[in-house]
Amino acid sequence: MTSAQIVVTVVGLAGVAWINWYFFLAGRGAAVAATAGAGGVQRVRIEVKGGYTPAVVRVRAGAPVRLEFHRDEVNPCTEEVVLPDFGIRTFLPAHRTTTVSFTPAEGTYEFACGMGMVRGQIIAEKNG
Amino acid sequence: MPETLSPPPESCTIPVTGMTCAACSGRVQRSLEKTPGVTAANVNLMTGAATVSYDPDVTSPEQLVETIRATGYGAELPLPEEATEDLLGAQDEARAKEERELRRKFAVAAVAAVLTMVFSMPLAEMGRAMTDPLMRVMLPLSRGLRHLVPAVDRMSADGWRHALLVLTLPVVGWAGRQFYTRAWAAFRHHSADMNTLIAVGTGAAFLFSAAATLADDWLTARGVEPHVYYDAVTWIIALILLGNLLEARAKGRTSGAIRRLIGLRPTTARVMRSGREEEIPLAALRAGDEVLVRPGEKIPADGVILDGTSHVDESMLTGEPIPVAKGPGDPVVGATLNRNGAFRFRAERVGRDTVLSRIIRLVQQAQGSKAPIQRLADRISAVFVPVVLSIAIVTFVVWFDFGPPPAYLHALVSAVTVLIIACPCAMGLAVPTAVMVSTGRGAELGVLIKGGEPLERSQAIDTVVFDKTGTITEGHPAVRSVELAPEGDRTAVPDERRLLALAAAVERLSEHPLAEAIVAEADRHGAEPVRATEFESRTGRGVMGNVEGRAVAVGNAALLRELGVDPDPGASRADALAAQGQTPMHVAVDGRLAGLIAVADPVKPTSRAAIEELRRLGLETVMLTGDNRRTAESVAREVGMSRVIAEVHPDKKLAEVRRLQEEGRVVAMVGDGLNDAPALAQADVGIAMGTGTDVAMEAGAVTLMRGDPMGVVTAIGLARRTMRVIRQNLFWAFIYNVVGIPVAAGVLYPALGLRLTPTMAAAAMAVSSVSVVSNSLRLRRFASRGHV
């Protein structure tokens, strides 16, 4: 093996390790708790740009939740948001805020783009 | 991101009534504009609507409605569909814009792609560019160019490379820029998508080519051939843009059904208000309003006809092709089309309570749901891109270490090909597009399937249980025959009409469905509406009373025996009638059997054909009924059903369904959704059958808008067809990637010398996702009557 081959192999394997660390392990952003609004509605604003910020939302179970998706891009990958547990599939117009409302029972729910590539999570807790 | 800290305004459109001139709309507009939290307001006199942008932290649509009302005009909260309509409008707009942009970008990229390939040919001949099979097709173009411009042959390799770089820059910097910006946005979120693959693939090829162009001497001095891949870069970007364009178009069509449903709603209604005819926006229509409908107009809400007759086309909601005759007292459904007559009706359900609104909500929920089969696709999508990135790196390393010289070039090309051929989109689109198209198509056929899960369960059904009354039969018993007893008292009961009238006088006080049939038949024959006195009802046996001084009893043989009346003279006829599935009612007058009235619930005209179709689909049909065995078996014979479970008390239907399930069957239960809701819930798939106006739509996993058993065939047929499309989609998406990625990586090279070029990979990837969406769109052509 030439030195070039050794270097390429080592760098390549390091690259694979880094990719798996970066996409699968490093990206877990902290969960953001919803803010209580008028009438007990819990509001969370979620930025949609290549992903969801925050991607993990903590809410109180049994109380109405309003997710305000602000989509700040035209990338069609994120043009829809789906909350399968609540039967919600809605279009998110670019550069606008679209609101989605539901009341979760205790549990963890997923929200994702129309094709399931971009994902987020709602954690509904009793005393959240 | 300071620009996103302040919440952007939300907007809503509020219908305003009572405005007659520009001064009115001006006043409403000014008062809205003065309201705290309102950032912009626009009141349109023509459409009677106020469009308001507001800060949701300060005000709400409810407060805005109050503000408008305070000015003296009417205002209503917008209907939920209007919000949907708004979003669909925005979606159409966004899609149209996206398509326009993609077309422009594709045009530029395509021209650049052809030119870069033609310009790469001289380089290829010099051995300074990689060759692509596409080049052979382009060869005449290159020859033509040389023929026209002989100076071409004198240009140096370096000159060609610079020319190609100039051609490629607008493609990378403008047409394909979106891939890089979107990949970066995703990267910052620690996520990766289709854009990441394209960006890394074309980016690597472009950067290497740019280095080979700008620092060729430096590379050559280090033993690296200055090869360029500009044609690959431009072709990849052009083909992926074309794929995106076709995909955007096809995706736009998947939500067509919901658009059509929303479009069914008329925008205005003509009502009588304080004795005057007035046209009002639909949102201002209230329950209790008297609404006028002219020929050719759409009916604006659900209600009951007060006067006038007409034929109404209900096909858009129930799939029933023949217009239905309507007269006073008949129900009408909003969004259906009035054909020939004019009528006045009282609105009973308006806005979000109408049948149409409920259908729209159910279809939307169904389209937002997930089929369990998607879970696997989801799990793969979640890890797909990082895994492909890893495979690309490994491909590079393996080629670099073990490939034939020049190994670094083979390594680069193979890694880029892996990145480009991988198609996460096909996997992501496989299930949701099919569920969307199928639930939408179902709604058009009057079959509401409540989501991906019922859809998936429906295809596994092997047994269909029908509740008899109202599903196989009309559900309204009717008098089939009236016969006098041979030894009856002819002075008391001279003819059949008198027999019917006497029986009806007693039955008028009963609430039994059989009683209704007798009363209706008597009324039809013009009987006096006489009522019995001393009425008495004996559960399960019959009723009795005194009619104009005569003791009249109507019921079964047991009742007559209890009363000391001999039912035997009618016994043989009664048996014969029962054997035909009819219920014989004995009528005794003054202690003697006077005659028999046979009542039966007629079988629906399509029941037999539906049962046959179900059998053809390999399904066993079972009848479950509370009726006596003889009646049930007779009906079963008439429609050709194989198994009958009779004399089941309503509370026990659930247990019977469970028993069938314990036999290992996957059971669909068809019922009216009201009396048999528990059995519907117990079944693997509950199918609620209604009649357009009166449907327990929320009951059951599937709702048939029309009381036609053929709808069961349509529902199961559509479910099977959809699951087949989903399986095809998933199979294609998986196999495509499972085969495509290794071939792109070069696994066939050692044995067969076979490799793909990045351009071929781009073409395959573009075709892959479009083909999945197109396959789902085939479901739009699904025809009812169970063609599977």
Side-chain angles (χ1 to χ4, degrees), chain A residues 6-55:
Chain A
I6 292 167
V7 169
V8 163
T9 309
V10 170
V11 170
L13 293 179
V16 170
W18 182 80
I19 282 170
N20 286 279
W21 168 80
Y22 185 82
F23 289 109
F24 295 135
L25 300 172
R28 296 285 157 257
V32 169
T35 53
V41 179
Q42 314 175 71
R43 291 178 48 187
V44 190
R45 186 178 155 78
I46 298 173
E47 290 288 326
V48 184
K49 193 171 185 182
Y52 301 116
T53 320

Side-chain angles (χ1 to χ4, degrees), chain A residues 37-127:
Chain A
V41 179
Q42 314 175 71
R43 291 178 48 187
V44 190
R45 186 178 155 78
I46 298 173
E47 290 288 326
V48 184
K49 193 171 185 182
Y52 301 116
T53 320
V56 185
V57 174
R58 227 172 259 285
V59 297
R60 197 156 38 81
V65 175
R66 243 172 89 113
L67 296 186
E68 299 167 356
F69 288 96
H70 182 70
R71 178 164 164 244
D72 205 16
E73 65 179 349
V74 290
N75 179 5
C77 284
T78 56
E79 70 181 8
E80 275 185 322
V81 69
V82 184
L83 290 89
D85 300 301
F86 305 101
I88 295 170
R89 171 185 288 271
T90 187
F91 177 70
L92 306 175
H95 312 300
R96 257 171 67 179
T97 302
T98 309
T99 307
V100 163
S101 303
F102 56 91
T103 304
E106 204 176 347
T108 301
Y109 306 94
E110 184 194 73
F111 59 96
C113 70
M115 289 157 65
M117 301 279 298
V118 184
R119 285 144 189 277
Q121 231 177 30
I122 301 153
I123 303 169
E125 293 166 328
K126 265 206 179 112
N127 305 310

Side-chain angles (χ1 to χ4, degrees), chain B residues 688-764:
Chain B
M689 187 187 273
T691 50
T693 47
D694 186 23
V695 191
M697 282 205 289
E698 282 72 18
V702 176
T703 300
L704 307 179
M705 296 300 296
R706 190 159 37 128
D708 181 351
M710 224 28 163
V712 178
V713 181
T714 306
I716 294 174
L718 180 61
R720 286 190 178 183
R721 179 81 169 266
T722 306
M723 291 312 295
R724 204 157 63 206
V725 165
I726 287 177
R727 274 193 288 267
Q728 286 165 353
N729 284 352
L730 284 175
F731 177 80
W732 169 245
F734 281 115
I735 285 301
Y736 168 83
N737 283 300
V738 165
V739 173
I741 293 174
V743 171
V747 289
L748 297 180
Y749 185 76
L752 304 171
L754 189 72
R755 289 177 64 194
L756 295 178
T757 65
T759 311
M760 285 151 82

Side-chain angles (χ1 to χ4, degrees), chain A residues 1 5 9 12 20 22 27 43 45 49-50 53 66 70 75-76 79 84 87 89-91 97 99 110 115 119, chain B residues 4 8 10 57 87 91 95 98 182 186-187 189-191 365 367-368 370 378 390 393 400-401 425 428 432:
Chain A
M1 233 181 188
Q5 282 172 334
T9 309
N20 286 279
Y22 185 82
R43 291 178 48 187
R45 186 178 155 78
K49 193 171 185 182
T53 320
R66 243 172 89 113
H70 182 70
N75 179 5
E79 70 181 8
R89 171 185 288 271
T90 187
F91 177 70
T97 302
T99 307
E110 184 194 73
M115 289 157 65
R119 285 144 189 277
Chain B
T4 55
E10 284 192 16
D57 285 335
L87 280 180
Q91 191 168 8
R95 195 149 271 149
E98 188 195 341
R182 291 169 188 179
F187 181 79
H189 282 87
H190 294 266
S191 76
Q365 281 171 9
Q367 297 191 334
K370 224 170 220 189
D378 274 353
S390 306
I393 293 180
F400 192 88
D401 290 351
C425 297

Side-chain angles (χ1 to χ4, degrees), chain B residues 656-685:
Chain B
E656 288 296 333
V657 170
R658 192 177 291 152
R659 221 162 47 80
L660 287 167
Q661 287 170 322
E662 280 161 7
E663 288 175 23
R665 296 160 181 270
V666 183
V667 178
M669 167 82 201
V670 189
D672 62 9
L674 298 172
N675 306 316
D676 39 25
L680 251 54
Q682 171 66 35
D684 296 286
V685 179

Side-chain angles (χ1 to χ4, degrees), chain B residues 410-603:
Chain B
H410 289 305
L412 178 70
V413 172
S414 300
V416 169
T417 310
V418 166
L419 292 172
I420 300 303
I421 204 163
C423 184
C425 297
M427 209 124 53
L429 292 167
V431 185
T433 53
V435 171
M436 277 184 79
V437 177
S438 148
T439 49
R441 178 65 187 145
E444 286 172 353
L445 296 171
V447 175
L448 303 180
I449 300 175
K450 314 273 177 63
E453 206 179 326
L455 202 61
E456 197 170 329
R457 268 183 287 138
S458 296
Q459 54 117 26
I461 293 168
D462 53 26
T463 306
V464 184
V465 179
F466 283 90
D467 178 43
K468 179 182 72 84
T469 310
T471 51
I472 292 290
T473 63
E474 296 285 2
H476 309 291
V479 171
R480 289 280 187 90
S481 66
V482 182
E483 296 172 15
L484 295 180
E487 294 102 33
D489 180 354
R490 288 285 182 274
T491 50
V493 187
D495 56 15
E496 285 87 354
R497 237 183 100 185
R498 179 65 183 156
L499 182 75
L500 200 56
L502 284 172
V506 185
E507 295 287 21
R508 267 179 223 286
L509 299 163
S510 164
E511 281 167 356
H512 199 275
L514 295 177
E516 276 175 35
I518 293 177
V519 172
E521 185 70 6
D523 287 348
R524 215 165 58 81
H525 285 92
E528 294 280 318
V530 180
R531 280 163 185 268
T533 54
E534 299 159 39
F535 175 79
E536 192 189 328
S537 165
R538 293 193 183 170
T539 308
R541 295 188 290 282
V543 291
M544 63 198 89
N546 188 310
V547 185
E548 294 162 344
R550 291 186 187 279
V552 179
V554 188
N556 56 18
L559 176 78
L560 266 63
R561 278 192 206 100
E562 262 180 39
L563 298 174
V565 179
D566 180 14
D568 288 346
S572 63
R573 269 312 286 156
D575 283 350
L577 289 167
Q580 291 165 24
Q582 304 185 17
T583 309
M585 311 269 282
H586 297 72
V587 185
V589 178
D590 289 338
R592 276 176 75 180
L593 179 71
L596 294 172
I597 299 175
V599 178
D601 184 4
V603 165

